Amino acid sequence: MPSRGIDRIAGLDGLRGLAVLAVVCFHIWPAQVPGGFIGVSIFFALSGFLISSIIVREVETTGSLSLRRFSARRARRLMPVSLATLAAIAIGWSLAGWLTADFRRDLHFALAQLANWGHVLARQRYGVDAAASPVLHYWSLAIEEQLYLILPLTLMLCRRRRWMVTAVSLGLLGSILAIWAASDSPVLSYYSTFTRAGEMLVGALAALTLRRRRWSGRAAQRVAGAVSVAGVAMLAWVVLRLDVSDPWFRHGGMLVCAAVATAVIVAVSGVPRLGRLLDWFPMARLGQISYAVYLFHWPLLQTFRRAGMADALVPWATIAATLALALLSERWLERPVRSGAVKGRRIAVAAGAAAALVLFVGAVGVSEAAPGTDFEAAAADFNSVVAANASTTIDTPTLASTTTVPTAPSTTITSTTLAPPPVRVGFFGDSKALDLGLGAARGGFTEIQVATSYTTLGCPTGRAGAMRATAGATVYEPAADCDWTTAIADVAARFGGLDAAVVWSGTRDVADRKVPALGNTWMNVTDPTYRAWLLSEMVALNDTIVAATGARKVLWLTLPEDPNSSHPERFAVWTSLLHDLQAQRPDEVTIVDIAAYIAATGDAARLLPDGLHPSYGEGDPTVNSGAELTRALIVPMVT
């Protein structure tokens, strides 16, 4: 619905509909609509334009702004559907047993309107939906709510339009500087309030400087028409051609998209005839329910996927359920609350109850799912262990045994043997190798010493190329630190050589990959071309580890099947690739079938609490399956 306090502007509902359509299609069909996430930038620009228009009109009409009335209007507009969605997720996912510790934390951040900072603290890269949190999308609502607190207060204090323009311009400049400072961080670039504020402020600046402009005259209207067509075409091109991995977005591309959307907003607000073209009924109607559509579609999509619905049905079930619930929400929840048919006291009681429910479920929960791992903290701990064990020599040998041999009644000869120094073992791979190595480091072993290692989170063995879990899933690029070309040699130079190395990776390699060297089309390990390329990468990694560390033996671990994978058959292909690797490097490579060992124990839930990673004694030193697996599988192979 159009915001209260200003006349309805033709075309903005249609633009809002296009924006939410882009976001929904990006989430459902990311391969076909890879840049659909810029729909959020369009929303930000619209919000900045409309909110600033409301504030300016009230300030210039009454001489002041009532923050209480403004906040009440925003709360009536936004909070009922948001809280209802959070409460439904808390109840439904708890009863289904899906609400893990990480998801409960996400609920709390979403409730506090701090979801974006929750992602920053968790180092959650944008576009990576492997965890599939049902409230992942609340980050954009959090940024809007944070700016709804700051922008009205700023404009109210400025009072005069020229001071408002100055304040917003300075804020926009600050956001541009934040974008520049965070351009190397995919997390901050997408989730920080400071880097995304500019997308709202560019709309606000337009409202302050151009809101009253009407494009009278044929030439002006032609210019406005050209701006509208070119702007919509440019945004459509970005939506269909670019993807989240493109560095252009981190270097200001999202702000550019918001600026283009703002130009379209200004053009259609000055030429109503253009706005009526954008307000084609299906798109305008979608724009009127866009807020509920945005809130509902993501948790529904994740619910259907987790419930085991057939892949072919998930998109259409998501769309149908989202539209139905959004229309019901508009009729029975949003419209009564906004119109005042539901009194403020009842709203407050209902909102308080919903918030209390979310807090309770978030704190207690009924899920038996494993707690999440703080991989960043684990990586810091592991790196400190590696640094502490950087010495390549053992200073003081220990006495292993003393044997007395009788030779005469009054004479003995004592022979002393030295215990061998511990075997220096390094761990290489992704987060599985990190957790296994940290568990080994905390296991109190005297036979081995955890030393020079290189583990990176969410990284494949094969360098370069986009990844996705399966067709239709979110596409993302490996982080810069996934490239081990020189990194392994660097850590070896800092921390010393090894006797043996352990490699545990491959989860990302059995996903779909788009490798530029292979024609930039989607492939997987069942494709002979991709399989040959991946084997060459595995050989190169093995050779790099041996050359950099001097390791005489490299243990490659098999992959336990990912419980969330849609393609379990690919894990057997990975094992066959390990055998191919061993055939090429028989004197160096040993295969350790950790997957078969875990399956044979019948205790996979304890050894791999989340289905992928061993525990490493975090919080409770006695819960350390990484040490247990090292004792059973690694120590016997290297000593």
Side-chain angles (χ1 to χ4, degrees), residues 27 85-86 89-90 93 98-111 115-116 118-119 122 124-125 127-139 191 294-306 474 564:
H27 286 154
T85 303
L86 289 177
I89 292 169
W93 279 52
W98 299 338
L99 206 59
T100 66
D102 283 344
F103 294 166
R104 293 198 294 270
R105 183 209 63 183
D106 290 345
L107 278 174
H108 285 165
F109 274 107
L111 181 64
N116 62 314
H119 297 326
Q124 170 71 44
R125 291 202 299 271
V128 181
D129 69 349
S133 169
V135 293
L136 185 67
H137 60 319
Y138 268 72
W139 68 270
Y191 287 132
Y294 180 82
L295 280 172
F296 295 159
H297 83 280
W298 179 256
L300 286 170
L301 177 63
Q302 300 310 319
T303 297
F304 293 147
R305 284 176 174 172
R306 281 184 171 265
T474 300
N564 297 316

Side-chain angles (χ1 to χ4, degrees), residues 6 73 125 134 136 156 168 193 214 235 391 426 433 474 514 521 533 607-608 625 628:
I6 61 170
R73 287 197 301 267
R125 291 202 299 271
L136 185 67
M156 182 187 72
V168 171
T193 305
R214 288 291 182 267
L235 293 172
S391 173
T474 300
K514 184 188 284 188
T521 59
W533 172 83
L607 295 173
L608 302 178
S625 61
E628 184 178 339

Side-chain angles (χ1 to χ4, degrees), residues 267-514:
V268 300
S269 66
V271 184
R273 183 164 52 89
L274 290 175
R276 287 192 289 273
L277 290 176
L278 267 180
D279 270 349
W280 177 54
F281 174 76
M283 204 55 61
R285 188 71 183 103
L286 181 61
Q288 291 168 359
I289 60 172
S290 59
Y291 181 60
V293 167
Y294 180 82
L295 280 172
F296 295 159
H297 83 280
W298 179 256
L300 286 170
L301 177 63
Q302 300 310 319
T303 297
F304 293 147
R305 284 176 174 172
R306 281 184 171 265
M309 181 179 288
D311 290 346
L313 295 179
V314 168
W316 309 110
T318 300
I319 292 170
T322 297
L323 291 176
L325 287 175
L327 290 170
L328 290 172
S329 170
E330 180 194 45
R331 172 65 180 85
W332 298 104
L333 179 59
E334 297 171 73
R335 197 178 293 166
V337 170
R338 282 204 305 271
S339 67
V342 179
K343 300 303 179 183
R345 181 173 297 178
R346 291 184 179 180
I347 296 173
V349 170
L357 174 66
V358 173
L359 284 171
F360 173 77
V361 173
V364 180
V366 297
S367 172
E368 296 299 325
T373 298
D374 186 345
F375 291 114
E376 294 293 331
D381 289 347
F382 190 47
N383 290 337
S384 66
V385 169
V386 170
N389 293 339
S391 173
T392 59
T393 61
I394 305 300
D395 295 330
T396 306
T398 57
L399 296 180
S401 62
T402 300
T403 304
T404 301
V405 182
T407 58
S410 60
T411 306
T412 61
I413 296 176
T414 301
S415 74
T416 302
T417 60
L418 296 180
V423 176
R424 287 174 58 81
V425 180
F427 290 79
F428 300 84
D430 54 21
S431 54
K432 298 185 299 298
L434 166 65
D435 288 3
L436 181 65
L438 189 52
R442 293 176 173 177
F445 294 104
T446 58
E447 306 95 323
I448 66 170
Q449 180 187 60
V450 175
T452 300
S453 299
Y454 187 72
T455 58
T456 49
L457 309 182
C459 291
T461 304
R463 295 162 291 183
M467 301 179 286
R468 65 183 186 187
T470 189
T474 300
V475 178
Y476 59 99
E477 290 281 348
D481 60 357
C482 288
D483 188 349
W484 42 261
T485 305
T486 60
I488 293 174
D490 292 341
V491 295
R494 290 172 59 197
F495 302 129
L498 297 173
D499 299 306
V502 176
V503 182
W504 201 8
S505 184
T507 302
R508 303 297 186 188
D509 296 292
V510 298
D512 291 349
R513 298 291 304 276
K514 184 188 284 188

